[in-house]
Amino acid sequence: MNVLKGNPISRGIASGKLFIYKAFTPDIRESYFEAGEEQKHLEQFNSAVKKAAKELDRIYDSLASESPDKANIFAAHKEILFDEEVAEDVGNLILEDQAMPDYAVDKVFTEFADMLSKIDDPLIAARSTDLLDVRNRVLRILQGKEERNLSVLTEEVIIVAHDLLPSDTATLDREKVLGIITEIGGATSHTAIIARSYKIPAVLGVPDATKILLNDQFIILDALKGEVILDPDDDTKEKYERKLTDFIKDEVEANKYLDKPAVTADGETYHVGLNIGSAEPDENIKFADFVGLFRTEFLYMESDHMPTEEEQFKAYKKVLANMMGKPVTLRTLDIGGDKSLKYMTLPKEDNPFLGNRALRLCLSLPDLFKTQLRAALRASAFGELEIMFPMVGTIDDIRNAKAVVDDVKSELRSESIPFNEAIKIGIMIEIPSIALVADIAASEVDFASIGTNDLTQYTHAVDRMNADLVDYFQSLSPAMIRILDTIISEFNKAGKPISVCGELAGDPAGTVVLMGLGLRKLSMNGSNIARVKRTISKFSLSEMVDIANEAKGISTQEEVLEYLDVQIKSHD
Ligand code: PEP
Ligand code: MG
């Protein structure tokens, strides 16, 4: 019985069969066949088209009732598949030039896609990605390879992948995924965040998982300890059944705190926020006071084209309605780094996390930025919406972004379109260069939220995606505690709201320190609300202040964590 180790990043235990997910990437060479075999090769092409149509029908049927928008993408793919011009060009290449079917398909589809991508209308240009998608489907069938797609799974499985792209997780068939294992990715990678929000047990950073593990192999995934147990014997299975029962018991016990008010043992109130990544309803909003982080990039990543102002306006309005009228902090587009859009090519960068991402990218693409701000401002007429900018590095960033908001406000005024004139504008504090001038930043904004995921990445100069460096990714290091202390006290001094919306806010040990440092607003993944409320309810505020003061004097993160563990256990 073999055991592989990784980082447990979404708590839980799962057992089941594996599904090794490798996205198909075509590798086609220019090649021709001997004259005389034209009909045979044409037939191969036609039969691949028929098989592709069947696959598309199956996907369409499985999505049609629950996600008609996603289903329509596959209906459009079928139209492309049967496009007469494309079929004629492929047929001619096979019949007249004796081109091998895969080469003919690759050449014709790619040429059409290139042509479309150059058209000025973004809606038409976006169709080129669909053409490439259909091309890959036909090429995969011609090469006799099976379909690999996470949006339609035929049975319950544990997924194994090198990494899951945000576009993979966005369309994931949540009902059928029992667990996730990847070779890369740390606790604050987007796969981790999505796994936690879907409550799917996940262990990331398992080296060579896609090579060692096999399709259909039975495993136990211990996402409490970070272990993948291969082909477990009966004793191990029994042991894990008991462990799962204990885990469920603990979850049930913690869940008793879900709908309790967020107060400390001595009755001090704090505010619990929910982090969301889509416009869909989220039942956890019942247990939260506000939405502290609405990651809007998922809206862009789920779409096959750049979302229009109207589409965004509708989505933002829908979020306000789905969140029961509670305040929503909309974070403007945060792409670049590990997040890309399939319909928008960004220049390749050597250090994408230090590159043109998030607010920097939006400031360099004013049309894109203004479209989102127009939609957000218009939605602000329908509920309590705040706007927050990600990846702010300087006071200039704040002023430049606010100037664009002012421009958009004037445009809307001149068009007599209603919006909330007093809309609150805030920033994420996730780069040390802005954290260290928190006093100045506080005077320029209405509020701020600390993104501890990126703040840890940039403070410790450690790639948050690199599973080999997890020991260096220290969100509760003495350096982080000092920097958090500075930000929280400067904002409190200025009387401006300050919250934390990074993963540290959902970590019970982290929240005790944050509360002790003076934080009263924490925004987190829904799956963490119960455990955080349970922990904080067991401490008085003065106890947490003492603990934070003690932690400030400790020299290493390991010692901080040991100290916090003792404190939490003594309050159980
Ligand atoms: C953060 O960096 O802590 C954060 C909340 O933003 P994201 O994880 O989306 O980068
Ligand atoms: Mg961030």
Side-chain angles (χ1 to χ4, degrees), residues 295 331 334 339 357 390-391 428 430 451 453-454 464:
R295 289 185 166 95
R331 179 177 75 181
D334 184 355
K339 290 171 277 185
R357 66 172 280 212
M391 292 289 299
M428 290 200 68
E430 42 190 359
N453 310 335
D454 278 315
R464 65 192 263 190

Side-chain angles (χ1 to χ4, degrees), residues 182 248 512:
T182 63
I248 293 170
V512 170

Side-chain angles (χ1 to χ4, degrees), residues 188 190 193 275 293 295 297 331 334 339 357 428 430 450-455 464 501-503:
T188 58
H190 285 271
I193 290 165
N275 292 353
L293 174 62
R295 289 185 166 95
E297 54 276 10
R331 179 177 75 181
D334 184 355
K339 290 171 277 185
R357 66 172 280 212
M428 290 200 68
E430 42 190 359
I450 309 173
T452 48
N453 310 335
D454 278 315
L455 188 59
R464 65 192 263 190
C501 63
E503 291 302 301

Side-chain angles (χ1 to χ4, degrees), residues 52-60 74 77-78 81 137:
K54 271 197 194 138
E55 284 184 4
L56 290 170
D57 283 343
R58 197 163 26 88
I59 302 175
Y60 180 88
F74 296 97
H77 282 196
K78 206 169 154 191
L81 185 68
R137 185 175 294 282

Side-chain angles (χ1 to χ4, degrees), residues 146-401:
E146 260 180 60
E147 184 178 19
R148 304 252 141 207
N149 183 327
L150 297 180
S151 65
V152 187
L153 296 164
T154 49
E155 57 180 341
E156 292 187 331
V157 285
I158 295 172
I159 291 172
V160 185
H162 172 65
D163 185 23
L164 293 178
L165 296 173
S167 53
D168 292 322
T169 46
T171 54
L172 193 82
D173 184 350
R174 291 157 65 163
E175 304 301 316
K176 303 255 171 48
V177 179
L178 301 172
I180 296 174
I181 301 169
T182 63
E183 292 175 336
I184 65 163
T188 58
S189 65
H190 285 271
T191 303
I193 290 165
I194 290 289
R196 273 194 291 270
S197 78
Y198 289 174
K199 294 198 168 88
I200 299 175
V203 175
L204 308 191
V206 180
D208 293 329
T210 58
K211 293 190 197 102
I212 300 168
L213 298 168
L214 304 169
N215 256 324
D216 292 335
Q217 188 171 16
F218 185 87
I219 62 128
I220 292 174
L221 182 66
D222 181 347
L224 299 176
K225 219 166 145 197
E227 289 186 348
V228 180
I229 297 128
L230 280 57
D231 308 314
D233 54 29
D234 288 347
D235 283 352
T236 313
K237 282 186 191 161
E238 244 174 66
K239 183 179 121 195
Y240 270 94
E241 259 157 43
R242 284 195 301 275
K243 200 167 170 182
L244 179 60
T245 312
D246 290 347
F247 170 71
I248 293 170
K249 260 194 214 153
D250 187 62
E251 288 283 284
V252 170
E253 159 64 25
N255 282 342
K256 290 185 189 148
Y257 290 80
L258 257 182
D259 56 1
K260 294 224 167 106
V263 288
T264 62
D266 54 349
E268 285 286 338
T269 303
Y270 58 96
H271 302 278
V272 172
L274 177 68
N275 292 353
I276 57 170
S278 85
E280 298 312 314
D282 183 330
E283 59 171 25
N284 290 305
I285 191 62
K286 288 196 291 231
F287 315 118
D289 307 314
F290 63 104
V291 172
L293 174 62
F294 169 31
R295 289 185 166 95
T296 56
E297 54 276 10
F298 289 92
L299 199 80
Y300 290 72
M301 288 188 298
E302 282 180 22
S303 172
D304 60 354
H305 60 269
M306 186 64 80
T308 62
E309 178 184 324
E310 209 50 35
E311 286 169 334
Q312 293 190 52
F313 169 59
K314 279 194 193 136
Y316 302 155
K317 241 172 59 173
K318 190 168 153 192
V319 167
L320 287 168
N322 283 340
M323 295 302 140
M324 303 166 60
K326 297 185 181 180
V328 173
T329 304
L330 177 151
R331 179 177 75 181
T332 56
L333 185 59
D334 184 355
I335 53 160
D338 65 329
K339 290 171 277 185
S340 58
L341 301 177
K342 54 186 171 191
Y343 44 83
M344 189 174 133
T345 320
L346 298 172
K348 202 170 153 21
E349 296 177 305
D350 286 339
N351 294 299
F353 275 113
L354 302 181
N356 194 14
R357 66 172 280 212
L359 179 64
R360 294 173 189 171
L361 187 74
C362 287
L363 288 172
S364 69
L365 295 169
D367 287 347
L368 178 151
F369 196 28
K370 280 189 164 176
T371 303
Q372 180 169 39
L373 290 173
R374 276 182 68 97
L377 280 164
R378 284 174 59 196
S380 73
F382 295 84
E384 220 179 305
L385 192 77
E386 302 179 339
I387 293 177
M388 175 164 77
F389 305 119
M391 292 289 299
V392 169
T394 59
I395 300 297
D396 307 298
D397 280 348
I398 301 178
R399 292 185 182 165
N400 291 336

Side-chain angles (χ1 to χ4, degrees), residues 12-46:
I13 291 175
S15 59
K17 283 205 285 184
L18 295 177
F19 175 83
I20 316 284
Y21 175 65
K22 281 187 194 140
F24 172 76
T25 38
D27 176 19
I28 307 296
R29 310 253 150 86
E30 181 170 352
S31 52
Y32 299 90
F33 55 82
E34 299 278 318
E37 293 187 339
E38 286 80 358
Q39 283 310 321
K40 180 180 117 192
H41 288 292
L42 186 65
E43 188 41 42
Q44 271 172 1
F45 168 63
N46 287 336

